[in-house]
Amino acid sequence: MCSKLLFFLVITGFVTSSATDDVYMPYIVHMDTSAMPATFSTHEHWYESLVSSIGSSRGKPPRLLYVYRHVIKGFSAMLSGSHLQQLQAMPAHLATHPDSYGTLHTTRTPSFLGLNKQTGLWPAGKFGNDTIIGIIDTGIWPESKSFDDKGMPPVPERWRGACETGVEFNTSNCNRKLIGARSFSKGLKERGMNISEIYDYDSPRDFMGHGTHTASTAAGSPVCGADYFGYAKGTAVGMAPMARVAMYKVLWATDTFESAATDVLAGMDQAIEDGVDLMSLSLGFPQTPFFDNVIALGAFAATEQGIFVSCSAGNSGPHAYTIFNGAPWITTVGASTLDRGYAASATLRREGNDTTEVLGLSFYPESILIFDDPVYYGKGNTTKEICSSNSLDASEVAGKILFCSYSNKSDAFTQMDEANRTSAKAVILVTDFGPFFRPSDFYFPAVALGLKDGEIVKDFMTKIVNTTVDIKFQITFSDQKPAPQVVYFSSRGPYRITPGLLKPDVVAPGVNVLAAWMPNREAAVAGSDYLVSDYRLLSGTSMSSPHVVGVAALLRAVHPGWSVAAIRSALMTTAYTTDNTHGPILDMTTGVAGNPLDYGSGHIDPNKAMDPGLIYDLSVQDYIDFVCSLNYTQEQVRIITRRSNYTCTTSNFDINYPSFMVILYNNVSTQTFKRVLTNVQDSPAVYHAVVEAPIGMNVTVEPQALSFGPKGSTQAFTLRVEVDLGGMRPESNYIGNYGHLSWIDKEQKHVVRSPIVSAFAP
């Protein structure tokens, strides 16, 4: 196989208020469409009439921006405070929210995930053939080889999308791989943002790189010989390399790097209209109620149309209650590490050819010759040993290899800066920061050693004055242990809006992922030189979501009749929680075992997800019943469901989700869950329950065995959790206890596993 971010859009929250001033700004308006007079043939004509009928004593007239056909019942418009008051007085008006703005929120991954050309999910799913993935992001660089359509069949006839023209973009930029590209910027422009060639392309073309990277991660065509300046050499390929890509550009590199909620909503609305099968958003809004969150609103409408929606969980970890995009109809994805590492080797030599060799972390993007070069080490002088700021004499250090001892008073970045200031040829530094380095940190030739190897080198050099070293950069290895780990920045549960629903759902690769980049945009820095590349290593939950949406495309190709909930359930119940040392998945921040608030059900396992045995299914009505349980007003429920005559069959917060969450508060420590499992095997089967529960958590399951008929048959069960609160106190991560429920068939071929978690209320 041939085989390159860290962005997460955070946007300020909606405010619902009756404006009294005459500030002219964009608003999102929710309408009761059942009140549309019969004289209007379309909602659009009705909205145009309503907006034009609003009087204006002074200033600019009201103006329609977008009409939303799927994500909400309503439109967005430029309104003043007096316009808004008139609109709110109309009987058909439900709610209005001012537009919101914000700033921004990465291949060995196919093999790490077990995807193989000969067996498993890849060939079974025909590599995602003819599935259409909508990417809501910063645009796309269509010339990238990752979007080459060689060998792809004609575009599916069901596709209703288009390839729009704009600055340095036209219809010829689309092909059988990139089948659609649109951009949405009305809301941003109305705020006076300058979208031009100086800051961005006023078109679907990507200026920032984020959208190109995420799109190629999800569905990039195989590209041999890809690398990041000599690191990660191989074939770059997306999770679903035969899937189609449709880009919806909603995020812009203006002078303040912002996006408008009106534009995000318009992009999702258009993706539904165009006929995408799946949608990925590596961006998010603050943790506001679902009726205030445009991604939650758009994803609900998409789910209703059978469109799978994957979203990044956010980069606000490692603290509890930091999850974004936690609605139950969204698959929420956290970030984990890979088993691939990047390094430089240092071979130290002293008199008599006595040598020692160590391997240290490095991403330095150039191959420079360091052979038998002298090492400078200020032994005997603590200040010089640790290379603190301005501690060294450039006349002593220039042209040599600087060695810096570990110190909690001089961090690795200070030491690298000191090496640069004194014109050292390279630096070998000792640090405990290793896992947290990013490729962009290595602007100077540096080898970062861990504490143990640092002591070996220090001891080696202490005994002999004249030490020399050979350094080789651009080393990649694929057996890094332990892996995966939950990365420090990945947002953690519980989800503040609905803490009784465990989020994230799963984790997926999100650290140093190699994916497509733009050849005219900085990819690395070496000294004072800015380097460019077609592929780049980047990190973030932004990278995790496209991994999951790509795997979901493969599952949809294998099981075209599966619902959105079935796909998510298969991913969750087959996820694993052990690393490549056979120990528990670790939390990178603490170095100890993680828990479901960190990784949800676990790390995705695509091949197992193809054959989960049983699934927890959900219908749109289940989601409506869930919303009905949230103490929202009738109007707020109507905003989410887009129905004037919605029905709550029951007010049920305990929906048929593949995880179990008990929130501990006011001495409440017991909860009963009701679930229904569906057989997705081709034959009848019998499953029995196996519970793993820690001391202090008592779990009972009734019945203990489930006998399923043919494919599609269902069985219900009840799970009761009792938590002993004696001596328990909320800790920094808020977790109380956790265990697992597994349903295992007689042949032990299928293990349908769900986490059971107790956590303290915030």
Side-chain angles (χ1 to χ4, degrees):
M1 303 303 301
C2 303
S3 210
K4 251 176 164 192
L5 224 172
L6 175 60
F7 287 124
F8 186 86
L9 174 66
V10 178
I11 303 190
T12 55
F14 278 157
V15 178
T16 56
S17 63
S18 180
T20 57
D21 55 50
D22 278 331
V23 175
Y24 190 68
M25 62 180 292
Y27 289 87
I28 295 173
V29 183
H30 299 269
M31 299 294 291
D32 178 3
T33 55
S34 66
M36 184 180 76
T39 53
F40 293 99
S41 59
T42 67
H43 291 139
E44 184 170 1
H45 291 156
W46 180 41
Y47 299 150
E48 289 173 345
S49 176
L50 288 175
V51 171
S52 63
S53 70
I54 298 173
S56 180
S57 58
R58 67 179 188 272
K60 299 178 181 179
R63 184 157 51 84
L64 198 66
L65 291 178
Y66 296 108
V67 171
Y68 303 112
R69 296 174 175 82
H70 303 280
V71 290
I72 67 170
K73 296 294 186 182
F75 58 92
S76 57
M78 296 298 299
L79 304 170
S80 68
S82 59
H83 297 150
L84 180 56
Q85 288 180 337
Q86 294 177 66
L87 183 63
Q88 289 175 328
M90 295 179 179
H93 174 268
L94 286 178
T96 300
H97 306 294
D99 204 356
S100 51
Y101 306 88
T103 57
L104 289 171
H105 226 224
T106 222
T107 93
R108 166 160 171 84
T109 49
S111 57
F112 182 68
L113 293 173
L115 295 174
N116 184 287
K117 288 190 293 184
Q118 279 74 44
T119 61
L121 182 56
W122 249 1
K126 299 179 181 178
F127 304 91
N129 184 44
D130 273 1
T131 55
I132 303 170
I133 303 176
I135 306 291
I136 317 295
D137 217 297
T138 68
I140 197 163
W141 195 265
E143 293 84 2
S144 171
K145 292 181 180 179
S146 288
F147 309 118
D148 192 322
D149 65 352
K150 183 178 180 180
M152 297 197 72
V155 176
E157 291 185 4
R158 58 190 171 87
W159 175 242
R160 302 183 296 272
C163 195
E164 76 176 34
T165 60
V167 176
E168 296 193 31
F169 205 97
N170 56 55
T171 57
S172 66
N173 288 125
C174 289
N175 56 22
R176 289 172 294 177
K177 162 62 76 173
L178 176 61
I179 63 173
R182 301 179 187 264
S183 62
F184 303 85
S185 59
K186 290 180 181 178
L188 199 63
K189 287 176 179 177
E190 291 294 348
R191 198 182 177 210
M193 294 298 167
N194 180 17
I195 297 173
S196 68
E197 296 88 336
I198 298 175
Y199 294 110
D200 203 335
Y201 305 99
D202 197 355
S203 73
R205 183 171 292 278
D206 192 2
F207 178 84
M208 302 160 68
H210 189 266
T212 299
H213 199 281
T214 56
S216 62
T217 299
S221 300
V223 180
C224 294
D227 71 296
Y228 172 78
F229 302 104
Y231 298 95
K233 290 182 178 178
T235 298
V237 62
M239 296 300 100
M242 289 297 286
R244 320 296 179 135
V245 173
M247 174 57 66
Y248 300 86
K249 182 176 179 178
V250 301
L251 191 58
W252 300 82
T254 64
D255 50 355
T256 51
F257 295 94
E258 291 189 334
S259 176
T262 48
D263 298 332
V264 174
L265 201 59
M268 298 181 76
D269 193 73
Q270 189 64 57
I272 297 171
E273 177 73 20
D274 289 346
V276 303
D277 300 311
L278 310 96
M279 200 183 295
S280 178
L281 295 92
S282 292
L283 49 90
F285 291 80
Q287 303 172 66
T288 55
F290 299 138
F291 57 83
D292 268 2
N293 190 305
V294 295
I295 291 180
L297 294 173
F300 187 95
T303 300
E304 193 172 19
Q305 297 295 321
I307 300 169
F308 178 93
V309 181
S310 172
C311 290
S312 48
N315 297 338
S316 298
H319 303 296
Y321 287 100
T322 53
I323 287 290
F324 292 77
N325 298 322
W329 47 86
I330 293 173
T331 299
T332 311
V333 190
S336 57
T337 64
L338 297 171
D339 63 348
R340 183 171 61 183
Y342 306 94
S345 66
T347 304
L348 291 103
R349 185 178 296 104
R350 59 192 183 192
E351 293 178 4
N353 284 325
D354 187 11
T355 64
T356 188
E357 182 177 1
V358 290
L359 197 67
L361 177 69
S362 186
F363 292 95
Y364 186 66
E366 291 185 329
S367 178
I368 61 174
L369 180 63
I370 297 178
F371 178 75
D372 205 27
D373 281 63
V375 178
Y376 178 88
Y377 172 48
K379 58 185 178 180
N381 184 320
T382 303
T383 302
K384 290 185 177 182
E385 281 186 10
I386 64 175
C387 311
S388 57
S389 183
N390 295 307
S391 64
L392 304 178
D393 187 338
S395 64
E396 296 178 359
V397 180
K400 298 178 182 177
I401 310 303
L402 179 62
F403 176 77
C404 301
S405 298
Y406 171 77
S407 170
N408 56 13
K409 297 180 180 179
S410 182
D411 61 41
F413 302 100
T414 299
Q415 294 174 340
M416 207 178 304
D417 289 344
E418 184 67 358
N420 185 43
R421 184 190 70 81
T422 55
S423 300
K425 190 172 184 179
V427 61
I428 302 171
L429 49 89
V430 185
T431 178
D432 57 1
F433 192 74
F436 304 96
F437 277 115
R438 299 172 298 174
S440 58
D441 294 330
F442 286 81
Y443 73 95
F444 188 84
V447 185
L449 303 180
L451 302 186
K452 182 178 179 181
D453 285 338
E455 284 301 311
I456 293 173
V457 171
K458 181 177 178 179
D459 180 68
F460 184 89
M461 291 192 301
T462 299
K463 297 174 182 177
I464 298 295
V465 175
N466 298 319
T467 305
T468 62
V469 66
D470 305 339
I471 298 178
K472 180 183 178 182
F473 292 98
Q474 300 174 325
I475 296 174
T476 303
F477 56 96
S478 299
D479 58 352
Q480 184 164 269
K481 295 179 179 180
Q485 298 182 54
V486 182
V487 69
Y488 66 94
F489 57 73
S490 187
S491 290
R492 314 301 166 96
Y495 181 46
R496 193 172 297 277
I497 304 304
T498 52
L501 186 74
L502 179 62
K503 290 286 181 170
D505 293 310
V506 290
V507 292
V511 177
N512 295 326
V513 176
L514 185 75
W517 193 247
M518 302 104 61
N520 66 344
R521 184 85 168 154
E522 171 198 326
V525 177
S528 60
D529 296 327
Y530 292 88
L531 309 180
V532 297
S533 174
D534 291 336
Y535 289 83
R536 186 175 182 183
L537 292 171
L538 288 168
S539 303
T541 55
S542 279
M543 285 62 260
S544 306
S545 178
H547 278 93
V548 167
V549 82
V551 171
L554 299 171
L555 293 174
R556 171 146 289 178
V558 176
H559 303 288
W562 276 12
S563 68
V564 168
I567 294 173
R568 179 173 56 246
S569 175
L571 289 167
M572 292 174 66
T573 62
T574 60
Y576 59 86
T577 58
T578 55
D579 61 26
N580 56 5
T581 69
H582 306 293
I585 291 177
L586 301 180
D587 177 349
M588 178 193 289
T589 309
T590 62
V592 301
N595 62 69
L597 296 183
D598 303 321
Y599 52 65
S601 293
H603 191 283
I604 61 168
D605 189 331
N607 290 325
K608 285 189 176 180
M610 178 174 59
D611 183 20
L614 306 173
I615 56 101
Y616 294 81
D617 210 354
L618 283 161
S619 68
V620 173
Q621 184 60 51
D622 292 319
Y623 294 127
I624 294 175
D625 292 341
F626 176 86
V627 171
C628 291
S629 74
L630 299 179
N631 295 320
Y632 291 165
T633 67
Q634 197 172 45
E635 286 186 350
Q636 290 165 346
V637 175
R638 289 174 65 181
I639 288 171
I640 298 167
T641 64
R642 307 174 332 283
R643 290 168 167 82
S644 59
N645 59 342
Y646 70 88
T647 300
C648 295
T649 57
T650 179
S651 180
N652 188 14
F653 184 84
D654 180 32
I655 58 174
N656 199 40
Y657 217 72
S659 57
F660 305 89
M661 186 84 172
V662 180
I663 294 296
L664 309 173
Y665 63 96
N666 296 335
N667 295 320
V668 174
S669 59
T670 302
Q671 188 166 339
T672 300
F673 303 88
K674 296 181 179 180
R675 296 288 190 270
V676 176
L677 285 162
T678 301
N679 182 19
V680 291
Q681 295 178 239
D682 291 329
S683 59
V686 176
Y687 285 77
H688 67 278
V690 175
V691 173
E692 308 162 69
I695 296 173
M697 177 184 282
N698 182 44
V699 180
T700 56
V701 182
E702 292 292 340
Q704 286 282 307
L706 298 175
S707 181
F708 292 88
K711 187 175 184 178
S713 61
T714 62
Q715 290 290 337
F717 71 92
T718 299
L719 181 141
R720 179 179 172 84
V721 183
E722 298 177 81
V723 180
D724 181 4
L725 294 177
M728 293 178 63
R729 293 289 185 272
E731 299 177 0
S732 59
N733 63 358
Y734 287 91
I735 195 166
N737 275 321
Y738 71 93
H740 290 88
L741 165 67
S742 297
W743 289 100
I744 305 174
D745 61 6
K746 284 187 175 181
E747 296 76 19
Q748 297 191 354
K749 179 182 178 182
H750 300 100
V751 178
V752 186
R753 193 166 186 255
S754 296
I756 308 168
V757 186
S758 66
F760 293 98

